[in-house]
Amino acid sequence: MIMEDPEWELVDPDFGGQLPPRSRLVNLAPIGLGTAQVESLGSYFMRLADTHSLKPTSLAWEVVFPERSDNSWACEDGWKHPYFNGIGLPTQEWVSRLERLTKVDGINSLTLGFLRGRVSTLGLVSKNNRWCPTCFKEDAEQGIPYGRLLWTLNTVTCCLKHQTKLIGNCNCDKKSAWTNETAKPLSNICGNCSRDLGRTQIQQPKPANSDEMRRAELVADLLLGGSTLAEQTPDRDIADFLEHSIRFHFDGKASRLGQRLDISKSTLHGWIHRRHFPSFTQIIAIAESHGCSIANVLCGRSDVVNLNVLSKRVARTKMRFANSRRILDWDAIDKALNEYLHVELPPTLVEVAKQLGISRYMLRRNRPSICRAISAKWIEWSITMANHRAHALESEVRKAAQSLMEQGVNPTRRKILKIASPLNPITRVTPRIAAIFMEICMKSKRNGNAADPNAATVSPN
Amino acid sequence: MTTMNSCEINPRSMTRKQALLLPDEGKRLYFDRVWLKHPRVDQTLDQLTIHTASSSGKSIILLIGPTGVGKSTLIQTLEEQFIQSRMQEIERDPGFIPVAMMVVPASGERAFSWRMFYSSLGGALEEPLMDRKLQTRHLDGRTTVCLPGGSSTVADMRMAVEKIIAMRRTQLIVIDEAVPILHQASGNNLVNHMDAIKTLADMGATLVLVGSYDLLELASLNDQVARRTGLVHFTRYQTGVAKDEESFRKAVRMLQNRLPIQDLPDLTEFVEDLHVASLGCVGLLKSILSTALGYALKNGGKWSDEMLEQSLESLDNYGTILKQTIEGEAKIKDACVGSSNFKSLRKKSEAILAAASAAARYCA
């Protein structure tokens, strides 16, 4: 055996196998991670597809869901809708698959997944895409335009940075003719006209009001602490918060908190007993009314409630309620009601209330006797009028019967009513009219000759 | 009979004694997977490493050498070194693909297929759905993509590959068997082909085109290409050069030690004949020994010296290879890096100026 030269080496033919596995897709970093301006999952997926020069649909079908499972809704065009960033189970499946394919951590932070099991899905995300054109414009100047997760929340209606209302319409004309080109699927490109949504020609956004800004700030705070919220085990939740709040701030009376939040006591009890979750808008209202963050409400941290805000808000609410009540001049109302009692043509109570501009319930509650008198007078008058109409009709019927018998015609009901009440011959047959018919008929039979005018004579009464 | 798995047989971890216990198919596979890193590989690798560094200013490197000299082994080693030197970054960034290796596909058609080229390159970069690529168009303030009727165009694929090279931060692209790019193009087409390759190099990656002496054509296309192109010659072990002969002898010894044959005689007795027969190329030497191994295995694992002769190239083939190698070596003498010095450059400058003035006089 000849000795080998130690300086000579063998190349490992399996070297390629030692290379750590690479991510199947480019590990594209999400924008704004850890800030309130964090990118949305839909925007991230569209950027990922663009990086690979693929249509998002192709990427979804062929790479993300190659086995073509039940996620077809999202594969086809779900990624362009705001609900793609919500808390649904398909979104979580997307997150785990994209994390596996890109080996990027924190894709879950691009969704509202951290709110799962804490809020109701109802009205959480907006139905249509909205954006801030100024943000898009600035993004394009500084780097890459992207859609924000904040914009997908239904309660956020303004841009926190530019203090303007979000826009949901490009005001573009629809694609006029069919071409083999389509708008590039990106957050900042209009799907209809393929133009940049951050362009200056688009409508000027209106300034946001203080309420909108306050709500947006609360939600932005929540997104900032979203990852920590997701990591926490929900040992305390909103039910604990409400229970504590009722006990310590509302004297143990749920109705008072319910009144404060403009919800019924039973709804509040539903939340406390975890039968259902409050909507995101209601959670914001709870946070606002308690002067604390949304995260504190969701984590049941009722000890951080700002008592000053709580008391101020109560006072303000009460004041607002007091202002909302009209001060009525009951003397003038009494005078008017007395006048209505003596008018020749008595009105109904509804008409009186309408003319006075007050609800009839309020009138009844405050002036029951005079209201009863007005109603009684109207009923009396209406009965008199009905009797009067009945007498007139009886007279007409008798006259018609007389006329028919004089002509030698058998006075049947139909023929009589055709003459007496030509407009509505059937419905006006009351029991009393029917009795008169019977009387005429009997007389006609007794006479035996319908053609005899004397036999058909009917007494007026 | 069970099929051997190539991953189970690694000559680096398996001794010859263990290989002798393998079935015939396994023995063949064992020897096939013996990739020898000999001194000439090291020398050439050093040159390549220097020129592939981003500071060298050369974005296209032509690695040229005679057939069977061990170019594939060399690029394998280059890849290994390249990856080892960047292992920390590779582990930190799972999307980072520092090096991509591909073999130029032969289309089987008259023209060179850039579609197949970009498809292979996309595969080397682990890029999915190369046939579905979309190209972005910016026109009149609109940003659109063309809906692919069937598969994507070559331009779409090229732009996608360029983008992915940038995103994956690929620093080295090794294109093995690059000669088909030239064979199916001439004149302006060749310039166009080179422009396409130059564009790839502009994305920040260094391109290493590996092939035989035909690749020399690329280096002399125009001044733009010449400035960006570096040429590394992978030479064979020359006969008559003592150091080369000694190295070749070691190569024979190394390969013999990996031949899974019982009672193998000392092949260094045939080293001079083998040196001539393989033109001093270790790859060709291995090829001869591999064929001889096949004969021996067919003979029940018994070796005879006639088998070595039976394994040699035919006279015609040998003549063709030798002729092309010698012609190529003559052509490349002044082209490869490190072939010049101040004196030779001055001489060349004077010669070109003299020729230019003579031409001007003639025209006047």
Side-chain angles (χ1 to χ4, degrees):
Chain A
M1 180 76 186
I2 300 159
M3 289 300 290
E4 282 190 10
D5 193 324
E7 287 178 7
W8 289 48
E9 289 175 36
L10 286 181
V11 178
D12 187 356
D14 296 328
F15 177 73
Q18 292 173 13
L19 188 70
R22 304 289 79 200
S23 60
R24 175 107 168 87
L25 299 174
V26 170
N27 64 339
L28 190 70
I31 304 172
L33 216 55
T35 68
Q37 299 289 324
V38 66
E39 186 174 19
S40 68
L41 181 66
S43 166
Y44 177 78
F45 182 65
M46 285 190 265
R47 281 201 308 118
L48 186 67
D50 180 46
T51 306
H52 286 276
S53 307
L54 290 169
K55 267 176 80 176
T57 312
S58 305
L59 187 65
W61 278 124
E62 306 287 339
V63 182
V64 184
F65 289 95
E67 74 280 4
R68 303 195 179 206
S69 64
D70 296 337
N71 293 280
S72 56
W73 64 273
C75 290
E76 205 51 55
D77 66 348
W79 34 266
K80 66 169 91 157
H81 296 292
Y83 56 74
F84 185 65
N85 311 301
I87 58 177
L89 281 174
T91 302
Q92 291 313 300
E93 180 66 16
W94 271 84
V95 166
S96 63
R97 287 191 181 224
L98 286 177
E99 278 185 341
R100 206 164 53 240
L101 288 166
T102 58
K103 294 191 189 291
V104 171
D105 294 328
I107 293 184
N108 196 36
S109 305
L110 312 185
T111 70
L112 301 172
F114 63 92
L115 292 175
R116 180 181 294 112
R118 294 177 190 270
V119 301
S120 163
T121 51
L122 195 71
L124 180 63
V125 288
S126 67
K127 287 181 181 170
N128 303 311
N129 282 314
R130 291 166 309 157
W131 64 92
C132 169
T134 324
C135 279
F136 274 151
K137 195 182 166 193
E138 284 180 8
D139 287 347
E141 285 164 3
Q142 291 161 10
I144 305 158
Y146 67 98
R148 271 76 165 166
L149 181 61
L150 197 63
W151 299 344
T152 63
L153 280 148
N154 201 24
T155 42
V156 177
T157 51
C158 66
C159 170
L160 210 54
K161 193 175 172 187
H162 301 104
Q163 303 187 356
T164 52
K165 289 192 177 186
L166 297 178
I167 287 175
N169 188 3
C170 170
N171 283 344
C172 62
D173 49 343
K174 298 266 179 190
K175 204 158 57 174
S176 55
W178 184 89
T179 61
N180 64 342
E181 290 188 348
T182 184
K184 187 167 186 174
L186 281 176
S187 303
N188 65 320
I189 304 291
C190 173
N192 285 328
C193 66
S194 324
R195 287 180 192 278
D196 181 14
L197 294 174
R199 67 186 189 277
T200 48
Q201 293 89 343
I202 212 162
Q203 60 183 4
Q204 278 298 316
K206 292 173 188 166
N209 61 39
S210 58
D211 280 349
E212 287 174 318
M213 285 298 294
R214 198 175 59 247
R215 276 202 302 273
E217 276 169 16
L218 275 171
V219 179
D221 279 346
L222 180 69
L223 291 190
L224 264 174
S227 52
T228 50
L229 193 68
E231 286 161 13
Q232 281 177 5
T233 47
D235 52 337
R236 282 180 68 80
D237 58 8
I238 190 165
D240 298 312
F241 183 93
L242 292 171
E243 210 170 354
H244 186 274
S245 176
I246 291 165
R247 187 177 296 163
F248 293 100
H249 307 304
F250 293 92
D251 307 327
K253 289 179 181 169
S255 58
R256 281 187 58 197
L257 178 58
Q259 192 183 2
R260 183 77 188 279
L261 298 170
D262 201 18
I263 51 161
S264 69
K265 200 168 76 175
S266 61
T267 305
L268 199 58
H269 278 295
W271 296 346
I272 291 168
H273 296 295
R274 299 178 180 87
R275 282 196 288 270
H276 47 87
F277 294 114
S279 73
F280 196 61
T281 316
Q282 286 161 334
I283 289 171
I284 291 175
I286 294 168
E288 273 190 304
S289 63
H290 287 79
C292 62
S293 72
I294 300 171
N296 286 335
V297 175
L298 293 173
C299 294
R301 289 193 287 258
S302 45
D303 50 325
V304 295
V305 167
N306 187 339
L307 294 171
N308 289 335
V309 172
L310 200 65
S311 57
K312 270 182 197 169
R313 290 288 169 89
V314 171
R316 208 176 115 192
T317 312
K318 276 182 178 171
M319 190 173 68
R320 197 158 55 206
F321 180 69
N323 284 347
S324 68
R325 291 176 69 183
R326 274 194 309 161
I327 297 166
L328 300 170
D329 184 357
W330 283 105
D331 292 339
I333 292 169
D334 286 340
K335 197 178 169 187
L337 289 174
N338 281 320
E339 281 175 11
Y340 281 118
L341 263 180
H342 297 103
V343 291
E344 196 179 342
L345 206 63
T348 62
L349 189 63
V350 175
E351 285 168 346
V352 170
K354 203 173 178 181
Q355 283 174 22
L356 291 173
I358 313 166
S359 102
R360 60 180 161 157
Y361 304 110
M362 187 176 278
L363 272 182
R364 272 202 194 128
R365 195 163 56 235
N366 291 289
R367 296 291 183 270
S369 55
I370 198 162
C371 285
R372 268 199 299 276
I374 289 171
S375 294
K377 193 174 179 195
W378 183 82
I379 290 165
E380 188 189 343
W381 177 83
S382 63
I383 290 169
T384 313
M385 290 305 293
N387 286 336
H388 182 73
R389 283 196 300 274
H391 285 306
L393 186 63
E394 282 167 27
S395 169
E396 288 292 319
V397 166
R398 287 180 196 280
K399 277 183 190 171
Q402 186 70 32
S403 162
L404 285 169
M405 282 191 286
E406 279 172 4
Q407 290 166 24
V409 179
N410 188 24
T412 61
R413 280 187 184 197
R414 199 170 159 189
K415 284 170 186 168
I416 293 167
L417 280 175
K418 206 171 178 181
I419 297 163
S421 178
L423 292 175
N424 197 359
I426 297 165
T427 54
R428 298 186 70 184
V429 179
T430 57
R432 197 161 167 176
I433 299 290
I436 293 167
F437 282 138
M438 189 60 75
E439 188 188 332
I440 292 166
C441 184
M442 294 294 284
K443 274 190 180 177
S444 176
K445 276 183 184 172
R446 214 166 33 235
N447 292 338
N449 186 6
D452 185 2
N454 295 326
T457 307
V458 178
S459 66
N461 295 313
Chain B
M1 187 178 166
T2 54
T3 313
M4 296 300 299
N5 184 358
S6 62
C7 294
E8 292 168 8
I9 298 173
N10 189 340
R12 284 225 320 190
S13 54
M14 189 183 271
T15 61
R16 182 165 168 264
K17 273 185 185 171
Q18 288 169 325
L20 282 169
L21 302 172
L22 291 170
D24 287 357
E25 191 198 348
K27 284 175 184 166
R28 263 191 222 105
L29 200 59
Y30 172 80
F31 192 68
D32 274 351
R33 290 167 68 80
V34 172
W35 288 12
L36 208 58
K37 192 180 165 192
H38 47 92
R40 196 49 56 83
V41 170
D42 276 340
Q43 287 164 16
T44 319
L45 199 60
D46 287 346
Q47 277 189 318
L48 259 182
T49 313
I50 291 164
H51 289 289
T52 50
S54 55
S55 55
S56 72
K58 305 283 185 195
S59 51
I60 302 168
I61 307 291
L62 304 179
L63 174 63
I64 295 175
T67 179
V69 76
K71 295 188 290 287
S72 299
T73 309
L74 178 74
I75 55 175
Q76 186 80 16
T77 316
L78 176 70
E79 186 193 17
E80 185 179 336
Q81 277 193 3
F82 208 81
I83 290 172
Q84 287 292 0
S85 64
R86 287 156 181 82
M87 193 49 89
Q88 275 190 342
E89 204 177 347
I90 288 169
E91 279 167 0
R92 198 173 55 242
D93 179 0
F96 178 41
I97 300 181
V99 54
M101 286 182 69
M102 64 169 287
V103 177
V104 172
S107 66
E109 293 167 359
R110 202 173 163 186
F112 177 70
S113 171
W114 283 99
R115 180 181 292 280
M116 285 180 71
F117 175 83
Y118 285 119
S119 194
S120 291
L121 185 52
L125 291 162
E126 299 183 23
E127 179 60 10
L129 309 176
M130 276 306 291
D131 56 337
R132 304 274 186 88
K133 298 301 179 191
L134 299 171
Q135 196 179 345
T136 306
R137 290 182 176 83
H138 300 279
L139 183 70
D140 192 22
R142 291 170 196 266
T143 311
T144 57
V145 285
C146 194
L147 290 170
S151 58
S152 44
T153 63
V154 173
D156 298 342
M157 291 169 91
R158 198 191 80 194
M159 291 186 78
V161 162
E162 284 171 12
K163 197 187 265 186
I164 220 67
I165 286 172
M167 291 305 295
R168 294 282 194 176
R169 299 188 293 121
T170 306
Q171 296 161 355
L172 186 69
I173 298 171
V174 182
I175 302 171
D176 200 3
E177 307 291 351
V179 178
I181 299 175
L182 309 170
H183 277 176
Q184 290 152 332
S186 60
N188 278 343
N189 262 352
L190 191 56
V191 177
N192 294 342
H193 282 200
M194 204 56 203
D195 280 343
I197 289 171
K198 193 157 62 71
T199 318
L200 278 182
D202 288 342
M203 300 316 296
T206 303
L207 254 67
V208 177
L209 300 174
V210 184
S212 60
Y213 293 102
D214 296 335
L215 275 182
L216 269 174
E217 272 184 68
L218 285 179
S220 54
L221 271 180
N222 58 38
D223 57 338
Q224 281 270 336
V225 174
R227 192 177 60 79
R228 288 161 189 245
T229 309
L231 204 149
V232 175
H233 188 199
F234 192 1
T235 55
R236 60 196 171 103
Y237 292 109
Q238 299 283 350
T239 47
V241 181
K243 201 177 169 187
D244 282 9
E245 282 179 350
E246 182 52 34
S247 295
F248 190 79
R249 180 184 293 276
K250 279 183 183 173
V252 172
R253 201 186 298 150
M254 280 291 289
L255 288 172
Q256 181 187 345
N257 284 349
R258 296 284 166 180
L259 260 177
I261 297 286
Q262 285 282 14
D263 307 323
L264 190 70
D266 186 5
L267 295 182
T268 48
E269 288 173 15
F270 304 95
V271 73
E272 283 172 15
D273 292 336
L274 283 170
H275 199 149
V276 173
S278 64
L279 309 169
C281 298
V282 177
L284 281 180
L285 171 69
K286 192 186 150 191
S287 177
I288 291 167
L289 293 178
S290 186
T291 315
L293 172 68
Y295 281 120
L297 292 174
K298 207 173 178 184
N299 195 31
K302 286 182 182 152
W303 178 271
S304 69
D305 295 344
E306 289 78 35
M307 286 170 186
L308 209 55
E309 284 193 341
Q310 282 173 342
S311 309
L312 299 176
E313 288 287 342
S314 71
L315 213 54
D316 281 356
N317 281 358
Y318 179 76
T320 310
I321 295 168
L322 181 62
K323 194 180 162 198
Q324 282 191 352
T325 306
I326 289 168
E327 282 176 5
E329 282 172 346
K331 271 196 280 184
I332 207 168
K333 201 177 168 190
D334 293 336
C336 59
V337 288
S339 63
S340 60
N341 53 35
F342 290 126
K343 198 176 169 185
S344 62
L345 287 180
R346 199 181 299 124
K347 265 188 179 176
K348 185 85 177 173
S349 163
E350 283 166 7
I352 290 171
L353 284 171
S357 59
R361 272 202 304 277
Y362 177 77
C363 290

